[in-house]
Amino acid sequence: MSVRADNLTVQYGRTTILHSMTFGPLEPGKVVGLIGPNAAGKSTLVKTIAGIKKPAEGAVAITDGGAELTGKARVEAVGYVPQDLLSSASLTAFESIMVSARRRGVANWDPVERTAAIMDRLGITHLADRLVSDMSGGQRQLVAGAQMLVRGPSAMLLDEPTSALDLKHQVALLDIVRAEAVGTDRLALVAIHDLNLAARFCDELLVVKAGRAIAHDTPQAVLTPDLLEEVYGIRARVLDDAGVPVICPV
């Protein structure tokens, strides 16, 4: 399973958000952090890879063993976590996650057991009987993460999954995503603002600015003072914590 973009252009009305973007392939067994300033096009890119947004030009290709996935095979292979889980249905957390588990439709797959197991891993068993519509933003993010993880997709796409979480739950969620990607040879693409979390949990970083991909490499290669000033307009020192870059704005 790998993902690549070729001359990808995406628009909202007459406004171009992604400009002839080319990158990849993003390979399995890795967590790729998608970073960049506000309005850089990160969410649009994630939605386009997920198949929610259609390109005006170019394409995103998701391939398995060299063969491009289309239709139902692509839908089943990709899991998507939005920035916020909006739910008007009167479903509890357990019910909403179990619905996702049932959609997978795999033989010898018990959706109740799968749901209970993933809620336990995320530490949200106590939310099982709570209505999703009554939850805080952070709780909804964890439920959305569970809905994606319970399906076991080959490509996991997460759009700012930690923005409403406290530090403990940020680390817990990213730990699980990393274990799923590296441990089972799947791909995770995580749009994230916290550069220090991105450096610690991601194998690679894809940097976007103004709808263009400007860098794709390891955190050590990408997170330099020059790039931080170019992309974010800040001066910063980059410290080394046992091989992990730590950003310290000046």
Side-chain angles (χ1 to χ4, degrees), residues 145-228:
Q147 287 179 332
M148 184 270 293
L149 290 166
V150 78
R151 290 179 51 235
S154 298
M156 299 177 284
L157 311 176
L158 300 94
D159 188 4
E160 293 291 344
T162 61
S163 60
L165 300 180
D166 59 39
L167 182 59
K168 176 182 177 180
H169 288 99
Q170 288 176 348
V171 171
L173 178 59
L174 293 174
D175 260 337
I176 292 173
V177 170
R178 180 163 183 79
E180 291 292 310
V182 177
T184 59
D185 204 30
R186 291 186 276 167
L187 169 66
L189 178 66
V190 184
I192 188 168
H193 273 300
D194 191 317
L195 298 182
N196 288 319
L197 283 177
R200 190 160 296 277
F201 285 94
C202 298
D203 302 287
E204 300 173 356
L205 298 178
L206 174 61
V207 187
V208 297
K209 180 185 179 184
R212 293 177 171 85
I214 65 171
H216 176 205
D217 211 324
T218 64
Q220 294 86 348
V222 166
L223 295 176
T224 65
D226 288 344
L227 182 136
L228 293 170

Side-chain angles (χ1 to χ4, degrees), residues 39-245:
K42 299 187 297 296
S43 292
T44 298
L45 177 57
V46 173
K47 289 177 181 177
T48 305
I49 296 173
I52 297 169
K53 189 69 180 161
K54 301 301 180 184
E57 296 178 14
V60 171
I62 299 178
T63 58
D64 186 3
E68 184 171 354
L69 299 181
T70 59
K72 184 179 179 181
R74 176 168 175 155
V75 171
E76 290 183 347
V78 174
Y80 168 65
V81 178
Q83 287 189 34
D84 191 11
L85 175 64
L86 301 177
S87 177
S88 58
S90 297
L91 293 178
T92 65
F94 194 95
E95 291 167 340
S96 66
I97 298 166
M98 189 168 62
V99 167
S100 294
R102 283 177 172 166
R103 286 176 180 165
R104 189 70 168 85
V106 177
N108 300 319
W109 181 292
D110 188 324
V112 175
E113 290 184 1
R114 290 277 303 181
T115 299
I118 200 63
M119 293 189 77
D120 182 61
R121 285 185 69 188
L122 284 170
I124 57 174
T125 301
H126 64 289
L127 299 176
D129 296 327
R130 287 276 303 279
L131 293 176
V132 175
S133 56
D134 292 341
M135 292 181 180
S136 68
Q139 290 170 334
R140 289 197 303 271
Q141 279 192 328
L142 290 170
V143 171
Q147 287 179 332
M148 184 270 293
L149 290 166
V150 78
R151 290 179 51 235
S154 298
M156 299 177 284
L157 311 176
L158 300 94
D159 188 4
E160 293 291 344
T162 61
S163 60
L165 300 180
D166 59 39
L167 182 59
K168 176 182 177 180
H169 288 99
Q170 288 176 348
V171 171
L173 178 59
L174 293 174
D175 260 337
I176 292 173
V177 170
R178 180 163 183 79
E180 291 292 310
V182 177
T184 59
D185 204 30
R186 291 186 276 167
L187 169 66
L189 178 66
V190 184
I192 188 168
H193 273 300
D194 191 317
L195 298 182
N196 288 319
L197 283 177
R200 190 160 296 277
F201 285 94
C202 298
D203 302 287
E204 300 173 356
L205 298 178
L206 174 61
V207 187
V208 297
K209 180 185 179 184
R212 293 177 171 85
I214 65 171
H216 176 205
D217 211 324
T218 64
Q220 294 86 348
V222 166
L223 295 176
T224 65
D226 288 344
L227 182 136
L228 293 170
E229 186 164 8
E230 175 190 352
V231 174
Y232 293 96
I234 64 166
R235 294 173 56 236
R237 290 175 297 169
V238 181
L239 308 181
D240 186 303
D241 180 19
V244 177

